Amino acid sequence: MAEWRQYYQNEDDEVEEDEEDSGGDYKISGRDSLVFLVDASKEMFIKSEDGETSNFDMTMQCVRSVYTSKIISSDKDLVALVFYGTEQSKNPRNSFKHVYVYHDLDSPGSQRVLDIDKLLGEKGAQFAEKTIGSGETSLGEALWCCSNLYSDIKLRLSHKRLMIFTCRDDPHGGDGAKDRQARTKAADLKETGVVIDLMHLTKPGGFDVSLFFCDIVSPPEDESELGLQIEPCRKLEDLQKRVRAKELKKRSQSRLTFSLGEGVNLAVGVYVLARTATKPSAVKLHRDTNEPVRTKTRYFHAHNGGILLPNDMKRAQVYGKKQIVMEKDEVDEIKKFDDPGLVLMGFKPMDRLKLHHHIRPALFIYPEEEQISGRSSFAGSSCVFTALLLKCSEKNVFALCRYIPRRNTPPRFVALVPQREELDQSQTQATPPGFNVIFLPFADDIRTLDAHVGPTASDEQVDKMKEIVHKLRFKYKSDSFENPVLQQHYRNLEALALNMLEPEPIEDLTMPKVQMMDARLGPLAQEFKDLVYPPDYNPEGKPAAKRKTAESGGGAAEKKPKAEISEEELKNHVAKCTLGKLTVPVLKDACKQFGIRTTGTKKQELIDALTMQLSK
Amino acid sequence: MIQLLSYRKSLRKMSQMQLFFSCVCFHLSLSVILCLQSALVLCMDVGFSMSNSEPGQEPPFEQAKKVIQKFVQRQVFAENKDEVGLVLFGTDGTKNRLAKDGQYENITVHRHLMMPDFELLEEIESELQPGGQQADWLDALVVCMDLLQQETMGKKFERLNIVLLTDLNVQTSADQLDVIINSLKKAGITLQFFLPFPLDGEDRADGGGDGPGPSAASARPGKGLSSQQTQGLEMVKNIMTSLEEEDGLEEVHTFRDALEKLSIFKRIDRRPMAWPCQLTIGSSLTIRIVGYKAVTEEKVKKSWTIVDAQSHQRDDVKRETVYCLNDDDETEVQKDDTIQGFRYGSDIVPFSKVDEDQMKYKSDGKCFSVLGFTKQELIRRHQFMGSQVVKVFAARDDEHAAVALSALIRALDSLKMAAIVRYAYDRRSNPQVGAAFPCIKEKYECLLYVQLPFMEDLRQFTFPMLENNKKFTPSESQLSAADALIDSMMLVEKDEDGESVDVFKVNHIPNPQFQRLFQCLHHRGVNPDDPLPPVEPWLKRALERPQAVSARCQAPLQDVKTKFPLKVVVKKKEQKTSADVFGSSADEPDAKRVKVDEEMEFNLAEIAAGNITSVGSVNPVRDFCALVRQKTVSFDQACQQLTHRIEQLLGNRSPEYYMKSIACIQAFRDQSVSSGNAELFNSYMQSLKRSVPDRNLQEFWDLLIQDALTLISKDEVDGSTISKQDANQFLAFEQKEEVQAAPVQEDTGDVDDLLDMM
């Protein structure tokens, strides 16, 4: 998702004000790349005893899910799919036997997804048999071929990963020369910065990593990292999870100093673990050629037509009938309070963190120990960080900090909530260790409401509702809902790109499963209604009282009389600066009356336009 | 401890202030459609006694003036629609409707009821002067009442209010008091008093211990009030208690209090919008509800418009957006000749707006449908999405709905569960999945709705473990140091009654961004030629760690400092070349390089064939080198063509193009050196450098620095006017500047260290 903003940001849209941190503005750091190197030997196609999917099928499903998620979340990343141990050979220079490059290293598109679909299921196995076949195995050649794929890429790659999917722990069947070649080629690859992972699949009798593959894969990135997955993947879900966990290179949004006070400073990386994914913005294309067009924005003088340079323009706001003018620099300076960083204010018990104090999605911080490309940092950060994490979690407190994400950005206060590491059943990290950064609202962000006060329910009514709640229980998981708007959008694109008659239907997971719910509830819903609603009450009816008065007031009252306003009155309002008291429809009518074309429909814009017109 | 007390006090004041604000402004009940405002008359004593003060103290007149100034400021920036009038008494002249036969003299209606504007601010600044007379404050009150009644006739106001600022130091005729009180009551006018001293003596005596510095400066020293003042005070108490009973006295403030409260610009008022909907569970169970945004990030309402630097006219600046093809000539394309497309992975799919609208996901309108119920603990606080919290109540005045919703809220609360719901604001908006939590307060019950993530929103990153990691595991003594630090820095303390008090409530702090913006706008508005003022001290203080906490944590922090070996590691910046950044050289050091060179040679061979006539965009370096070799065009022209391409490439601001630009500059430099012409290159580089900040090219410049692509010095080319040292400094200097100016956030770690070193 990082890339979305980067690539789709409208260069012409000069952001005037308050570019609040709303997206992951990553430093341009290159593309991630991922090569799937999949074993195509006969063994991969064997179905397990209980008739479940073959290892090959599972792998293809996994690859497909990576493709589709890449398209949505980071479509600039490069992905390749290479088979080894094939009968047929297909690679750029056709110099390698038994290596089949199904997809070259490139960003995934709709066609690729369809290509994978061809390899799925029973038919897929037959198709694979026909096109690629199973033959001799030489992992060394395959790795060599992959390294060529990498070196053919002219783009800057930030992260290179190669995943081997196989169920054979001794691919060369004891051929020492081939083993040796594979080791050498793997070493070469690793030297060029490629990380090699093994996604080993089930094999009757168990997969022995130490036989051969332990020399092929990259050592864990960190001594501490959960080394080699000892258990092979049995289920697609596990495999997908494992692949997904590896596939994304974690990138910090920024690196900041976390100051505890008195010169005790740590270095932390700030990460975005959840951010609303949105539809990418549209690209403008030339009608005739479908070629993308760029936009250029220029400012020029209305009278003499001269191009205006940044220095020829200033910024202004109008308050209380007065225009206040500032330089662009001053507008920035106003937003500067301090240097970027996190500053510790103190600690509070967790119960002081209110559920409803929520204004934006949280961030995540993790200590920075290593130097990255020559930056300086604070050695020992991790140790202090860990001590704080353990103690905060033990004492059930959170740290309150002042947070300035970057230069010329006003501060916000955040709660650093400790989170200790959790692993799931498959020993994959479910929650990482670190602090979640929760943004806290200022006084201005909290609105005053007058609460509706009404009668409360009796115990009997509450108990009936408890039964209902009990019947409709489920285990919430944050990744179980897909965004139907996004899914539909991508299906549509896919359909258009591939000239399909209509897009594949999506399953809208956000819709309540009404029938199932009704069935589970049985008579409970009616029983509850009998307890709380009088027989003649219709909760689905519109608020009855208001409608009636409107109708009884005669047919004419259906639509409010058009609020016309005389020029005189308007001028009066302008003079007294009380235009703001009028409602938007009235202002719009007034604009029409004077033939003022307004670009916006915001109240302030209408007011500005009218003021300008009438004070002439 | 004293500081802490004062801090606590200021917190208390802040909440008082909010009370005060909510009195001055108003909160509309939502069913009322009409827009109702308040009308308010500021009534200030400018009589000569107001100018008296003890040496070294600010006279009450000045204090009162400041209160008025701050108040009007606040109204102006809040763009509050309240109308404000200003009545002065004790003026030398007389100007009011009631003045007749020597009655109501020395009372001036300075401004009639209208919305406050900058003019009023300027008038207060320059025209509000101490008068030489004294006038009866009760008379002034009557004038204000008359003003309110006359000028609000026929208009609807939610509230009428008179604010009296006086030292009460004048003979008052109390005979009409009852009549006045009655007519105030009848007209529904409320009163507020601002006095230079507190209401009762005890407070005055206590006042001294209350705060740091020249505390209670506003109170008259020696408690010595004149007999008029004592009498006046009694009357004030009398009026206020008879108007509002017990609470009345809370509307009597001191100038000093008021100043502190008013220095916080009032937030921009937003009326909560009601969102009526139906909560559904399955197909048959429906509850009528109303939602309100309860918490959401408030943004600055007004944006900056661009005006011409000379005329300050907005109309003088026109903005034009043109579309152009990505070809060499940047061919312009009419807007009508463009269509819309979307990227799908590597494809760009043409997809017209009409098609998009027709095919897009359609939701069936507003809804709040329960999908199921789940344990609250399964919903992680850090996975809350969106930017708001919605409070959901039962429909107003529908007691059946209230009972039904109450049953749900209480059931969820006792089971520690929450509802997972599909929420759609209306037909046009995207549906969300969110959680509705039960919330039971003393006075009301509601559901709190928060958006939850979609699968697409989540990024599963794994991080190396921290615990059980030899390198990072803290020792026992380190852990206890952290423990002590936390204890010393708790922001929640027990007060005298054993209640725990939060001494740093973020939700009571006004957003500093607004405060600072309005401060600067006001300053600039009144003094157009002055530089911007510094951040106000009270605001700075509000953003700092409470002093008491700072004091307490000194020793534990020192302990942390000694127990943990925290070293600033400043590694010498590795020589990073652009090639490095673009990932070509680091990985395959030599092979690749050779290949590139070969390619170059090969291309040069091709060039020799002589079909290059201009610098194209595909391979500008090759074309440029060819042109220089062939000498078909002059060196000047070749360079000009090249720089044109460089500019074009830089216009894209993207890394792939940066790499190309760097190669161009490298070639430009090489060719310049070999042809012995430094002038063109150097002047181009200088102009490029000047444009870096405006064009946001710091990152690109950084790459130049890493490749040491600096000016051509005398040592290299004889004709150069640049010394070797200058050439080196050209970049060295820029490096520092880059530190200052680059908006690229990732550099921050760096920057702080660099600053530390300097």
Side-chain angles (χ1 to χ4, degrees), chain A residues 67 117 141 169 191 213 215 246 262 266 277 288 313 324 326 403 406 433 444 478 489 506 533 545 550:
Chain A
Y67 272 27
D117 286 345
E141 298 265 293
D169 47 11
E191 211 164 88
F213 275 101
D215 297 334
K246 290 266 181 188
E262 300 296 314
L266 326 179
D288 303 335
M313 294 179 282
I324 303 162
M326 290 196 196
Y403 173 55
R406 70 188 74 86
D444 309 68
S478 54
H489 177 75
I506 60 157
Y533 291 152

Side-chain angles (χ1 to χ4, degrees), chain B residues 713-751:
Chain B
S713 69
K714 261 186 232 152
D715 297 19
E716 291 168 282
V717 171
D718 278 343
S720 172
T721 52
I722 308 291
S723 71
K724 177 107 185 151
Q725 202 186 355
D726 286 347
N728 291 340
Q729 264 173 9
F730 182 68
L731 293 175
F733 157 78
E734 196 62 38
Q735 205 157 5
K736 265 188 240 157
E737 186 156 89
E738 181 246 358
V739 162
Q740 300 287 344
V744 187
Q745 40 159 327
E746 251 202 22
D747 278 342
T748 47
D750 232 16
V751 171

Side-chain angles (χ1 to χ4, degrees), chain B residues 190-240:
Chain B
T190 52
L191 269 189
Q192 285 176 305
F193 279 92
F194 290 82
L195 308 175
F197 41 79
L199 196 56
D200 49 69
E202 269 175 63
D203 265 10
R204 245 171 288 146
D206 283 352
D210 224 86
S215 66
S218 53
R220 286 294 169 83
K223 302 187 202 176
L225 296 184
S226 70
S227 61
Q228 284 120 325
Q229 284 174 318
T230 322
Q231 187 209 355
L233 261 183
E234 284 312 311
M235 280 163 65
V236 169
K237 283 186 196 168
N238 189 350
I239 297 177
M240 294 310 280

Side-chain angles (χ1 to χ4, degrees), chain A residues 1 8 16-17 25-26 28 108 110 151 156 160 224 250 254-255 260 262 273 275 277 279-280 283 285 287 294-296 298 300 302-303 312 314 316 318 320-323 325 330 344 347-348 352 354 357-360 366 371 376-379 391 395 400 402 407 419-421 429 436 443-447 452 457 466 472 474 476 478 481 483 487 492 494 508 510-511 517-518 529 533 537 539 577-578 581, chain B residues 83 115 117-118 122 267 283-284 286 288 292 294 296-298 302 304-307 309 312 315-316 318 320 322-324 326 330 336-339 341-347 356 359 361 370 373-374 381-383 385 387 394 396 398 406 414 422 455-457 459 462-465 467 469 483 487 489 491 500 502 504 509 511 524-525 543 545 554 561 567 569 571 581-582 587-588 655 739 742 745 748 753:
Chain A
M1 270 149 271
Y8 295 107
E16 275 302 330
E17 167 67 8
D25 3 17
Y26 287 74
I28 302 158
S110 45
S151 58
R156 169 187 171 206
K160 308 181 203 174
S224 57
K250 52 182 190 279
S254 58
R255 296 152 40 83
L260 306 185
E262 300 296 314
L273 299 190
R275 169 135 304 157
K279 259 196 272 187
V283 191
L285 304 175
R287 184 190 291 281
R294 286 200 296 136
T295 50
K296 283 198 297 195
R298 286 195 292 248
F300 58 89
H303 303 305
D312 301 329
K314 287 187 179 176
V318 178
K321 284 192 281 190
K322 186 172 180 95
Q323 187 185 44
V325 179
E330 289 174 324
L344 180 63
F347 299 87
K348 286 186 192 185
R352 294 278 166 172
K354 300 290 177 230
H357 283 177
H358 165 72
I359 48 168
R360 340 175 165 166
Y366 187 86
Q371 332 239 310
S376 55
S377 72
F378 304 95
K391 278 297 163 186
K395 299 171 89 86
L400 185 74
R402 190 178 68 215
R407 245 172 301 255
Q419 171 173 291
R420 292 177 68 176
E421 184 179 27
Q429 192 174 62
N436 285 305
D444 309 68
D445 305 325
I446 295 176
R447 301 189 176 187
H452 297 192
K466 278 189 193 167
L472 300 177
F474 76 109
Y476 172 78
S478 54
F481 295 96
N483 185 343
Q487 293 295 334
N492 290 346
E494 201 176 66
D508 187 349
T510 68
M511 289 303 277
M517 289 169 79
D518 286 349
K529 281 199 283 188
Y533 291 152
Y537 177 81
C577 222
T578 49
K581 291 185 172 187
Chain B
E83 300 199 358
M115 268 165 69
D117 51 21
F118 249 89
E122 282 162 359
R267 67 201 220 210
S283 66
S284 62
T286 306
R288 286 176 50 209
Y292 300 99
T296 193
E297 198 170 327
E298 211 59 64
K302 280 199 176 170
W304 294 93
T305 49
I306 296 183
V307 298
H312 289 188
D315 288 349
D316 286 349
K318 284 268 176 281
E320 180 197 55
V322 292
Y323 298 90
C324 55
N326 233 340
E330 303 194 290
D336 294 345
D337 288 335
T338 62
I339 50 170
F342 284 97
R343 282 182 200 277
Y344 182 78
S346 51
D347 317 321
E356 193 200 353
M359 293 173 75
Y361 177 86
V370 172
F373 299 97
T374 195
R381 176 70 162 84
H382 63 267
Q383 288 189 331
M385 299 297 287
S387 55
R396 193 174 281 282
D398 183 339
S406 165
S414 74
R422 171 192 158 100
M455 184 267 285
E456 292 90 338
D457 303 341
R459 296 175 205 178
T462 42
F463 291 82
M465 64 164 71
E467 298 167 47
N469 178 323
D483 197 78
D487 284 341
M489 289 184 78
L491 296 168
S500 52
D502 194 332
F504 198 88
I509 301 175
N511 188 341
R524 177 55 52 89
L543 301 175
R545 181 183 292 174
Q554 289 287 325
K561 212 173 181 174
K567 267 202 314 244
V569 185
K571 209 174 181 182
V581 176
F582 295 119
D587 300 331
E588 299 127 88
V739 162
Q745 40 159 327
T748 47
D753 306 335

Side-chain angles (χ1 to χ4, degrees), chain B residues 177-304:
Chain B
L177 199 57
D178 290 344
V179 184
I180 295 176
I181 292 176
N182 276 333
S183 45
L184 279 171
K185 273 188 179 164
K186 227 169 96 195
I189 297 175
T190 52
L191 269 189
Q192 285 176 305
F193 279 92
F194 290 82
L195 308 175
F197 41 79
L199 196 56
D200 49 69
E202 269 175 63
D203 265 10
R204 245 171 288 146
D206 283 352
D210 224 86
S215 66
S218 53
R220 286 294 169 83
K223 302 187 202 176
L225 296 184
S226 70
S227 61
Q228 284 120 325
Q229 284 174 318
T230 322
Q231 187 209 355
L233 261 183
E234 284 312 311
M235 280 163 65
V236 169
K237 283 186 196 168
N238 189 350
I239 297 177
M240 294 310 280
T241 41
S242 45
L243 274 182
E244 311 218 1
E245 283 147 32
E246 284 140 62
D247 294 343
L249 294 183
E250 288 185 3
E251 288 301 339
V252 181
H253 310 269
T254 66
F255 289 160
R256 190 171 68 101
D257 270 5
L259 265 180
E260 280 184 27
K261 294 168 195 166
L262 284 169
S263 62
I264 296 173
F265 285 105
K266 200 182 122 41
R267 67 201 220 210
I268 298 159
D269 236 16
R270 288 274 163 101
R271 233 182 330 148
M273 277 279 290
W275 180 73
C277 191
Q278 284 151 12
L279 183 152
T280 58
I281 304 174
S283 66
S284 62
L285 189 48
T286 306
I287 304 173
R288 286 176 50 209
I289 52 164
V290 176
Y292 300 99
K293 256 185 206 184
V295 180
T296 193
E297 198 170 327
E298 211 59 64
K299 303 269 169 116
V300 184
K301 199 155 124 203
K302 280 199 176 170
S303 56
W304 294 93

Side-chain angles (χ1 to χ4, degrees), chain B residues 128-164:
Chain B
L128 192 54
Q129 298 299 338
Q133 302 294 320
Q134 290 287 75
D136 184 341
W137 57 269
L138 270 181
D139 284 350
L141 185 59
V142 175
V143 171
C144 294
M145 287 162 64
D146 176 64
L147 184 77
L148 272 180
Q149 281 188 322
Q150 287 298 316
E151 301 191 6
T152 58
M153 225 183 276
K155 295 190 207 168
K156 277 198 173 140
F157 282 96
E158 163 95 356
R159 228 187 110 109
L160 304 175
N161 191 31
I162 297 173
V163 178
L164 257 166

Side-chain angles (χ1 to χ4, degrees), chain B residues 49-69:
Chain B
S49 67
M50 288 286 281
S51 304
N52 295 341
S53 69
E54 297 289 316
Q57 281 189 9
E58 212 174 16
F61 172 84
E62 289 301 328
Q63 293 186 27
K65 181 173 168 176
K66 273 192 193 153
V67 171
I68 288 189
Q69 236 169 349

Side-chain angles (χ1 to χ4, degrees), chain B residues 54 89 107 129 132 197 205 230 272 328 340 356 362 396 402 426 476 479 492 523 525 579-580 630 641 663:
Chain B
E54 297 289 316
F89 62 102
I107 301 175
Q129 298 299 338
F197 41 79
T230 322
D328 288 359
Q340 172 182 273
E356 193 200 353
K362 300 213 177 48
R396 193 174 281 282
D426 65 11
E476 271 311 310
L479 279 174
V492 174
H523 185 88
D580 242 349
Q630 292 166 1
Q641 286 187 17

